[in-house]
Amino acid sequence: MPIKAVIFDFGGVVLASLGEAYVGEWARRLGLSKAVLKSALWGEAWHALELGQMDDESYRRRVGEALRLPDLGAVSLFFQEFYAAEQLYPQMLDLIQRLRRTGRVKVALLTNAFVGQDQVMRRKWGLDPHTMFDLYINSAEVGLAKPDPAIYELALTRLDVAPGEAIFIDDNVDNAHAAARLGIQAIHFDSAEALNGVIAQVEKLVGIR
Amino acid sequence: MIEAIIFDFGGVIAVPDDEAAWRAHKDVMGAELGFESGAAMWSYIFEGQEWWQAKTGRISDDEFWRRLLEPLGISTLNARRQWVQRLYGPSGGVHPRVRSLLAQLKGRYKLALLSNATDWLATALGEVHQLDGVFDVVVVSALVGLAKPDPAIYELTLQRLDIPASATLFIDDQARNTRVAEALGIPSIVFPGVEELWTLLAQRGIL
C-alpha cells in the first residue's frame, strides 16, 4: 500500500529527548530522586494537562509543590533552565520539509501537549505547526491523548488515509504500539544514534530514496 | 435550561436487560470461533482498523463483517448476516424502559441520536428498531465520515440541532465520549443504567 501520510510526534522525535542522564542530574541538583522529578513533571498532573483538563497555572502549582519550590516565579525559572537544553533535530526538520515538497504525502504532527504549545513553538523555535504541517493535532485541544486509539483515528480521519497508508514515529513505545495495533506503520525512535536510520527508513517507505 | 437531549445508541438505547446473560452469550459465540472469551472476540471486532473504517463510512456494514468473519470461516454474505443477527439478538434491541423514556421526552425536548455505527444503523433505526420519527436529528458516524470522540461530530450535531452546547444534554456509555463533549461545553452523563437514568433525569427536573 503506498504511503500517503507521515505522522510525527514532537518531543523526542522532532525535538531531541533530554535524556535520562540530564534528568538525573537535575534531580540531584534539586535534592530529589529521579522518580520524583519525573512524576512531578510527567505524572498525573501532566496527564490532566495534556487532556486539556488542567490549566497551565494549576499544573505549574502542582509541579512547584512536588519539587518543593517556594512560588510560581521559582517554577517559571526552573522550567526555563530545565528546558533550555532542548534541541531540535535539524535532520528531522529537513525531512519534514522534503516530505512536504514531494507533494506525495501529507505530513502531520500528533503531540501530547498543553494548550498553547503552538505559541511556545513559535516563540522558542520560530516554528509554526499550523503551516509547517498539513495537520496539527494537540491532545489538549481535542481532549484525547496518545496512546488512546481515538486520537490516532482522529488523525487518520482528518488526513483521510487508511491506517496502512500512514507512518507514525514516536519515542514512546506505548504510543508506537497503539498505532501499530490500528494497522499504522509505527516506528519507535528513541535514541539519537537511530536518527539517520529512521530517516532512511521513512524515505524508503515513502519512495523518495 | 435544557432544550435538547443527545443519545448514544449502543449501550444507552440498545442496552442488554441482563448483563450476565449477555456476557455468557458473547462467550459462547466467541468460543465457537476459537476466541478464549467473549471479551477477546469483542476486541477483535472493535479494536482493529476495520471498525475505524466501518464507523467512518470508508467500508460498508457488509464489507466490515466480511473482513472480520471471512478469515474465521464464515464465508457467505447470508451466513455472516445470520451470525451478526444472532450475536446481537439478546441485546441489540431497544430496551423497553428506554423506549418509554424517549416517549416521555418526545415533544418536550428536541431529541438527537449520535452514534458510532455503520451505515446499517441508518436503515435499521426504522425497520428494525421502530424508532422512526423519534429523533429530530440523527447523526450516524458512517454517514458523516466522522466518529466520536472527534470534536467535529459533536459540533455537527449541535449545528443540526441548532441549539447551543450549554442547552443540550449528552448521554453516552463511554466516559471518553462524554469527556470530550464536556470540553465543548455540552453537559453530559455517563449512562448509569436504565433505572438510574430515569432517576437522574427526574432529579434534574428534566422528566
Side-chain angles (χ1 to χ4, degrees):
Chain A
M1 213 183 268
I3 295 300
K4 292 188 185 163
V6 183
I7 307 169
F8 289 84
D9 172 31
F10 188 64
V13 172
V14 178
L15 195 64
S17 160
L18 288 170
E20 290 293 313
Y22 179 83
V23 176
E25 174 54 35
W26 263 96
R28 256 194 308 283
R29 220 187 287 181
L30 292 164
L32 301 162
S33 75
K34 196 160 87 173
V36 167
L37 176 55
K38 282 175 130 178
S39 95
L41 290 174
W42 302 306
E44 211 177 284
W46 168 259
H47 193 56
L49 183 77
E50 72 182 4
L51 283 171
Q53 292 172 334
M54 182 182 277
D55 62 38
D56 190 58
E57 190 184 317
S58 310
Y59 171 71
R60 284 166 178 261
R61 221 175 272 289
R62 291 274 297 271
V63 171
E65 284 161 17
L67 302 184
R68 299 188 222 122
L69 297 170
D71 53 30
L72 279 177
V75 176
S76 289
L77 203 63
F78 163 73
F79 274 128
Q80 231 172 58
E81 291 181 22
F82 182 79
Y83 285 112
E86 280 185 328
Q87 283 188 333
L88 294 162
Y89 284 122
Q91 301 94 320
M92 277 294 182
L93 295 179
D94 179 62
L95 175 67
I96 290 162
Q97 282 172 357
R98 280 186 297 122
L99 287 171
R100 286 204 75 190
R101 270 204 304 269
T102 64
R104 285 155 69 170
V105 289
K106 290 182 189 162
V107 186
L109 190 69
L110 178 57
T111 169
N112 280 3
F114 45 90
V115 173
Q117 184 207 32
D118 49 349
Q119 284 151 44
V120 172
M121 282 170 71
R122 220 169 286 161
R123 228 181 17 246
K124 198 165 171 187
W125 313 107
L127 300 177
D128 180 354
H130 301 281
T131 57
M132 188 177 158
F133 296 93
D134 295 294
L135 174 70
Y136 168 60
I137 296 180
N138 175 337
S139 62
E141 289 171 2
V142 294
L144 302 164
K146 297 176 287 186
D148 183 341
I151 197 167
Y152 304 92
E153 293 182 347
L154 187 73
L156 295 172
T157 304
R158 294 193 180 167
L159 289 164
D160 195 22
V161 299
E165 297 171 333
I167 300 172
F168 172 67
I169 311 160
D170 202 297
D171 66 320
N172 179 302
V173 72
D174 293 336
N175 294 350
H177 274 160
R181 271 198 82 185
L182 287 171
I184 296 170
Q185 305 206 33
I187 298 174
H188 177 223
F189 162 58
D190 71 346
S191 77
E193 299 84 70
L195 180 63
N196 291 331
V198 164
I199 289 172
Q201 192 182 353
V202 172
E203 288 171 336
K204 192 159 172 243
L205 285 167
V206 173
I208 56 171
R209 190 182 173 85
Chain B
M1 188 54 191
I2 299 298
E3 294 172 44
I5 305 177
I6 306 168
F7 285 88
D8 173 27
F9 187 72
V12 172
I13 290 176
V15 55
D17 206 21
D18 181 344
E19 190 61 48
W22 168 234
R23 245 197 325 271
H25 170 72
K26 283 194 287 189
D27 283 339
V28 168
M29 290 200 64
E32 287 173 10
L33 295 181
F35 291 98
E36 60 187 44
S37 66
M41 175 180 69
W42 218 243
S43 91
Y44 171 74
I45 297 173
F46 292 113
E47 287 173 18
Q49 57 169 295
E50 293 84 4
W51 174 235
W52 170 75
Q53 291 184 315
K55 75 186 174 192
T56 56
R58 283 164 169 78
I59 57 175
S60 68
D61 188 74
D62 281 338
E63 176 62 12
F64 169 63
W65 290 108
R66 187 188 71 75
R67 291 192 191 181
L68 293 176
L69 297 179
E70 212 170 48
L72 301 177
I74 307 181
S75 45
T76 70
L77 177 63
N78 264 342
R80 286 193 294 272
R81 285 185 175 169
Q82 274 165 21
W83 188 88
V84 174
Q85 208 172 18
R86 202 180 122 224
L87 174 66
Y88 283 110
S91 92
V94 176
H95 193 289
R97 287 284 286 159
V98 180
R99 195 184 289 279
S100 51
L101 176 69
L102 290 168
Q104 289 270 327
L105 297 169
K106 182 73 190 158
R108 296 159 64 189
Y109 302 91
K110 270 190 164 180
L111 300 180
L113 186 76
L114 173 54
S115 172
N116 280 359
T118 66
D119 54 327
W120 179 81
L121 182 63
T123 42
L125 212 53
E127 288 173 15
V128 180
H129 300 300
Q130 273 107 48
L131 286 172
D132 261 340
V134 171
F135 297 102
D136 302 278
V137 167
V138 173
V139 178
V140 172
S141 63
L143 299 189
V144 297
L146 301 164
K148 294 177 287 184
D150 185 340
I153 199 169
Y154 301 88
E155 278 156 10
L156 180 74
T157 307
L158 293 175
Q159 247 172 43
R160 292 195 181 167
L161 279 167
D162 195 23
I163 289 176
S166 60
T168 64
L169 177 68
F170 173 56
I171 306 163
D172 197 293
D173 66 330
Q174 291 194 35
R176 185 176 67 187
N177 291 344
T178 60
R179 204 187 65 222
V180 172
E182 291 271 2
L184 294 169
I186 302 170
S188 301
I189 296 174
V190 178
F191 180 69
V194 175
E195 295 313 321
E196 293 83 352
L197 180 62
W198 272 83
T199 311
L200 202 65
L201 294 179
Q203 281 167 356
R204 293 203 182 184
I206 289 168
L207 265 177

